[in-house]
Amino acid sequence: MTDRTTETSWEVERAFGLAGRRAIVTGASRGIGRTVAIGLARAGADVALVGRDEAALAETADLVRQARPSAAVSVHRCDVRDTASVRRCVAAVEDEGPVDVLVNNAGLNIRKKALETSEADWQTVVDTDLKGAFFMAQEVGRGMVARGRGSIINVSSVGGHVALRTGVAYAAAKAGVIQMTKVLALEWGPHGVRVNGIAPWYFRTPLTDPLLADPAYLRDVLDRTPLGRVGEVTELIGPVVFLASDASSYVNGHTLFVDGGMSVYGF
Ligand SMILES: NC(=O)c1ccc[n+]([C@@H]2O[C@H](COP(=O)([O-])OP(=O)(O)OC[C@H]3O[C@@H](n4cnc5c(N)ncnc54)[C@H](OP(=O)(O)O)[C@@H]3O)[C@@H](O)[C@H]2O)c1
């Protein structure tokens, strides 16, 4: 047997690089999805941008081309709540070539207290954040399993792990994403497909800007964050590129908390 402890040729650029890989990013029209799409392209990947707003996706495509002019970029309109739309979208992306990476990022929140949460609120949040993520993973995973390779990264939230006053439907959906990640890792690991997740705390995006604009709310967030600041969206690129790339080749079923240490806070 080869003694790998004497290996001296491991190359960091190659391990973390995504040259020749194709990635789908859902919710790429703004916020985390846009930033991550640009980051994946900078790491060498071609990217398929998925969302409902084609004009905003086209703006992301321009930014991706600015970031790496040689990147192949495509835009695909899709509502992740609609499984027929997901199927059409993934088929269109796969028509252009096999997919190596899926970043399941599309998501939203309706911030209401439990007693005020309607059935429609629950359905909108769970259909987008959990059902949408699952059927996107299923559709992309089908091809990955057949090809025997791939990496899926599901975007959960710290709120899927600890209890926050930010909406029960969102908490349930994001907790579901963490558990879904583990089960898909278990089922698809034997086929060479890794499934992991990230769980962000507060990052400034169109989703959180209105909340963080309230000084009292921001103070509360900062008081709970050991690093004493909210995250910059670019700080999510490293974790996603790591999980997408061969650098994480033995990481499977894990959700990486990108939270400035918030989730270790015990009060
Ligand atoms: N920002 C944070 O601090 C934070 C913290 C924890 C977790 N997260 C999670 O990170 C992800 C991205 O958040 P963000 O802050 O970047 O939010 P954002 O700025 O509001 O962006 C959300 C993205 O999801 C897309 N989307 C929403 N519903 C969709 C649907 N039905 N079909 C397709 N795309 C849909 C939106 O596109 P269109 O509406 O144009 O279709 C948009 O591109 C979400 O899953 C969120 O829960 C964010």
Side-chain angles (χ1 to χ4, degrees):
M1 191 188 283
T2 317
D3 177 3
R4 290 284 182 197
T5 64
T6 60
E7 179 72 58
T8 57
S9 63
W10 191 84
E11 289 173 40
V12 66
E13 291 83 3
R14 190 172 336 181
F16 284 89
L18 296 173
R21 310 274 169 95
R22 291 187 72 231
I24 297 183
V25 181
T26 70
S29 58
R30 57 176 185 267
I32 291 172
R34 171 175 276 179
T35 306
V36 160
I38 294 167
L40 290 168
R42 289 283 297 189
D46 294 330
V47 287
L49 309 172
V50 170
R52 292 175 298 184
D53 181 342
E54 258 178 297
L57 290 171
E59 283 173 24
T60 304
D62 286 343
L63 291 167
V64 167
R65 287 188 202 98
Q66 274 174 40
R68 190 168 66 85
S70 62
V73 195
S74 56
V75 162
H76 304 268
R77 201 161 67 79
C78 170
D79 184 333
V80 298
R81 293 171 300 177
D82 174 358
T83 47
S85 171
V86 167
R87 259 185 240 116
R88 276 196 303 275
C89 167
V90 174
V93 178
E94 292 257 341
D95 271 354
E96 295 164 1
V99 176
D100 305 289
V101 175
L102 165 65
V103 183
N104 237 335
N105 163 79
L108 52 72
N109 190 9
I110 297 174
R111 286 165 197 273
K112 288 190 183 170
K113 298 210 181 309
L115 292 179
E116 287 146 22
T117 298
S118 68
E119 187 175 353
D121 295 334
W122 179 275
Q123 193 146 9
T124 300
V125 173
V126 173
D127 279 4
T128 308
D129 295 1
L130 182 56
K131 177 187 152 188
F134 172 66
F135 284 100
M136 184 58 72
Q138 184 190 60
E139 217 43 42
V140 176
R142 209 183 296 286
M144 288 179 168
V145 164
R147 290 185 293 273
R149 55 175 281 169
S151 173
I152 295 176
I153 298 132
N154 296 317
V155 179
S156 177
S157 167
V158 166
H161 178 62
V162 302
L164 301 172
R165 292 183 184 82
T166 52
V168 65
Y170 185 76
K174 292 298 190 180
V177 168
I178 293 174
Q179 198 63 8
M180 176 186 92
T181 297
K182 294 183 198 173
V183 174
L184 297 183
L186 187 72
E187 286 198 22
W188 297 346
H191 302 282
V193 179
R194 297 184 297 110
V195 186
N196 292 291
I198 58 166
W201 177 226
Y202 277 93
F203 286 78
R204 286 185 192 278
T205 69
L207 184 75
T208 56
D209 279 342
L211 298 167
L212 298 173
D214 172 355
Y217 195 95
L218 178 62
R219 187 73 266 147
D220 194 30
V221 168
L222 298 184
D223 284 348
R224 289 157 190 259
T225 312
L227 286 183
R229 60 180 179 83
V230 295
E232 297 294 334
V233 274
T234 49
E235 293 179 294
L236 289 166
I237 294 174
V240 170
V241 168
F242 167 66
L243 292 173
S245 71
D246 293 345
S248 62
S249 53
Y250 202 57
V251 181
N252 192 27
H254 184 72
T255 293
L256 177 57
F257 283 71
V258 191
D259 65 353
M262 185 277 173
S263 55
V264 302
Y265 204 94
F267 276 96

